[in-house]
Amino acid sequence: MKKQVEAWIGFAKNDILTVSEIIKNPNLTNIAIFHCQQAIEKYFKAFILENEKSLLKTHNLLALYGTIKEIIDFNFDEDLLSTVNDIYLESRYPGEIGLLDNDSLPTIEQANQFFIFTKEIEKKIISEINKNNNK
């Protein structure tokens, strides 16, 4: 595995660890989802680099997934991916957090849904990278 890929994976794992530490706090659900988006972004970038594709300088998960689909279609739920992407972009600034429910933070249930989705992405990306390295 390339050093740069290992670095992206290491940072993604730190985002996963952060989410696992804060996921039960209803006051931090937007931060949990922020870190879900960050983990997904970093896993996507690791996969793109591992497959020697040009890395897009973007935080947009849909754009990154478009590059990945040129290599392999993981069949990730693109609606859920889009929602995580939008919440990340919208939840970074006060006054923009009502994307899921008019004027409130995402619920713990919603944060858990995104965390489970993030872990699914992590598992598939790591499995595919490991498979490529064992050839």
Side-chain angles (χ1 to χ4, degrees):
M1 183 182 312
K2 299 173 180 85
K3 274 189 148 183
Q4 197 175 26
V5 171
E6 285 183 37
W8 280 106
I9 289 171
F11 279 96
K13 287 180 185 267
N14 288 341
D15 285 310
I16 295 284
L17 179 60
T18 299
V19 176
S20 68
E21 293 288 325
I22 66 173
I23 193 77
K24 294 190 187 310
N25 186 326
N27 297 311
L28 298 176
T29 55
N30 63 321
I31 304 302
I33 293 172
F34 172 86
H35 284 284
C36 286
Q37 186 282 340
Q38 285 289 285
I40 294 168
E41 177 185 334
K42 291 166 187 166
Y43 281 122
F44 281 1
K45 288 180 177 180
F47 185 81
I48 291 166
L49 286 171
E50 181 66 23
N51 286 277
E52 300 180 359
K53 292 282 192 176
S54 296
L55 194 60
L56 299 173
K57 293 186 179 184
T58 184
H59 299 290
N60 188 305
L61 299 178
L62 299 174
L64 293 167
Y65 188 47
T67 300
I68 288 172
K69 285 173 49 172
E70 294 172 9
I71 304 162
I72 187 173
D73 189 354
F74 284 110
N75 293 315
F76 294 133
D77 182 334
E78 290 188 45
D79 290 334
L80 196 51
L81 192 63
S82 179
T83 302
V84 172
N85 191 62
D86 291 345
I87 291 170
Y88 161 77
L89 294 173
E90 299 298 328
S91 70
R92 293 173 60 199
Y93 304 102
E96 304 280 341
I97 60 177
L99 189 63
L100 286 177
D101 184 9
N102 295 335
D103 293 318
S104 62
L105 293 171
T107 65
I108 288 178
E109 291 78 16
Q110 289 166 322
N112 277 315
Q113 177 188 19
F114 297 129
F115 190 42
I116 290 166
F117 181 59
T118 302
K119 297 288 286 173
E120 173 191 332
I121 290 172
E122 174 188 43
K123 182 178 177 182
K124 287 183 178 179
I125 293 284
I126 294 297
S127 175
E128 192 64 30
I129 287 173
N130 287 339
K131 188 167 65 172
N132 287 343
N133 282 301
N134 291 329
K135 286 184 180 178

